[in-house]
Amino acid sequence: MSSPLVRALNVHKRFGRLEVLKGINLDVEAGQVVCLLGPSGGGKSTFLRCLNHLEKIDAGSIWVDGVPVGYRLDGGKFHEIRERDVALQRTHIGMVFQRFNLFANRTAIENVMEGPVYVLRQSASAARETAERLLTQVGMMNWADRYPAQLSGGQQQRVAIARSLAMNPKLILFDEPTSALDPELVGEVLSVMRDLAQGGMTMIVVTHEVGFAREVADKAVFMFDGTLVEEGAPAEVFSNPRHERTQQFLSKVL
Amino acid sequence: MTDVLGPRIPDGEIPIVPMRKWGRWVSAGIILLLVIVFVMSMRHAQIAWGDIPKFFTYHTMIVGMYMTVLLAVVCQALGIVLGVIVAIMRRSSNPVIKWSAWFYIYIFRGLPALLQLYIWYNLALAFKTLGIPHLFSVSTNSVMTAFVVGVLGLGLNESAYYAEIVRAGFNSVDHGQIEAASSIGMKPSQAMRRVILPQAMRVIIPPTGNDFINMLKGTSLASVVGFHELILSSTDIYSANFRIMETLMAAALWYMVLVSLASIGQYFIEKKFATDRSDPSSMSMGKTVRRSLSMRGVFHLSERNPGVAL
Ligand SMILES: Nc1ncnc2c1ncn2[C@@H]1O[C@H](COP(=O)(O)OP(=O)(O)O)[C@@H](O)[C@H]1O
Ligand SMILES: [Mg+2]
């Protein structure tokens, strides 16, 4: 049996006295799409940020492709690694943000080329070729030379997805990718994500789009107050949630 | 209907009568009066106005003007370089580096520039020689020329102020930009160079012009440590010919010229950096972008990608 691509073991995280993650265990197989749902403030973003070490965990461990994130295992101990080595690990883990976070001083295509050229040290022409292919894939090639401020939210988010794809990641984390969008723009982003999922990309998606989760996810996971209370196949958990809090939550969002 | 709504609306074009702006006329009258009083008193003043051009172009005066510009440029350059370094140090996760930078700003911004100049000037009283023991050493007095004293006194003071300007610029960059840089695997130094600094420029550049204008005038302090800039040159001139007011007026004229030139430069630099690409209202699409880009010469879009039009 092969080990999962992502494995979170008993992850704890606190901000000062506030315990935000209280022992999270989660496995994600390669090619799986996992949707993470739950009320605001439950720790979903924090967990996602721990997965690529934007936040340091206080206890437990996170493994991506068999390697501990943010640490080196040596002599039975986790040794913190330098920020530049964490940066290297992050090249394999894409991230798409609620607020897009495209580089404001670069055009759409420059945003997509930035990582390949300056992090992966690809030639500009190779990076441009990849960027053009990816922008075409997300339907943004006609806006390649626009600045983020000149694009709609949905367009910016599609460029942001292309930007993380350009790093050829093993996994992409999505933190409420459609929550900042006007309702009529949600569809174009979800459709890009649906295509990605069908293409076999491993994705962990924090979302309130139950329809998307039901249709695309292999696994739906519910997080309340820093604990995962329920997980399972979407068809199962959305129709027959076992846990009382899941039932309450679903009755509000459905 | 018209009875209920009030007066009947007249047919055709209705002329608009602009409001009388009495305030403008009154203030203009007062200012004019003050100008007349000033000019009259200047005519009676014991100043030979006709001699000012002569002093303005005195060799000593011209050299002083060059020295003022030289000191201001060198001090400002030093201030910018050290200021950026100190501002970056203040963001360090290493507390020793962070607090050293804080202390540096605390000292060099806290002490009057004049005091700092005097301390550098008198350094030889504390340290006869400078260098590394057993390796090399030089006499302090031979190193601490008036120019070096001026550069240290004014440049380090400026660097402490400039570090705060740069820090404000860094803080103006949205934290999401830095997270995005991390998420594509940029090292902190790369994120600084590629993402934070370029976006902070918009906030950093305008006060830089201001600082330089201040620096042009601030170099006059270096006259007390014997640096022959405009003020010391002027006192040299008038202690020889006793035409004090005329000489000072000539120096004043030079300062106005220098400051005006710097202001013009500042205007153009600000205009160049003011195009805020994160704010769509500050520009129209396409043309403005391409114009500002070709002006900056940073990205050559058309060169790299001739096929795609904006
Ligand atoms: N950097 C931080 N410092 C302090 N508290 C934080 C920080 N980030 C998140 N929190 C707190 O952690 C809790 C979980 O937040 P978050 O992970 O954003 O939840 P969710 O994404 O599920 O809405 C919230 O109470 C939030 O206020
Ligand atoms: Mg969140």
Side-chain angles (χ1 to χ4, degrees), chain A residues 49 102 106 114 118 149, chain B residues 177 179 190 194 277 289 310:
Chain A
R49 293 157 55 77
L102 288 181
R106 311 218 184 283
E114 185 72 17
Y118 292 95
Chain B
Q177 297 282 309
E179 294 204 331
Q190 282 177 319
R194 302 280 314 162
R277 281 183 290 243
V289 177
L310 280 173

Side-chain angles (χ1 to χ4, degrees), chain B residues 122-131 137-143:
Chain B
N122 291 301
L123 199 65
L125 299 179
F127 308 96
K128 281 255 168 319
T129 58
L130 298 173
S137 82
V138 287
S139 121
T140 303
N141 272 329
S142 70
V143 178

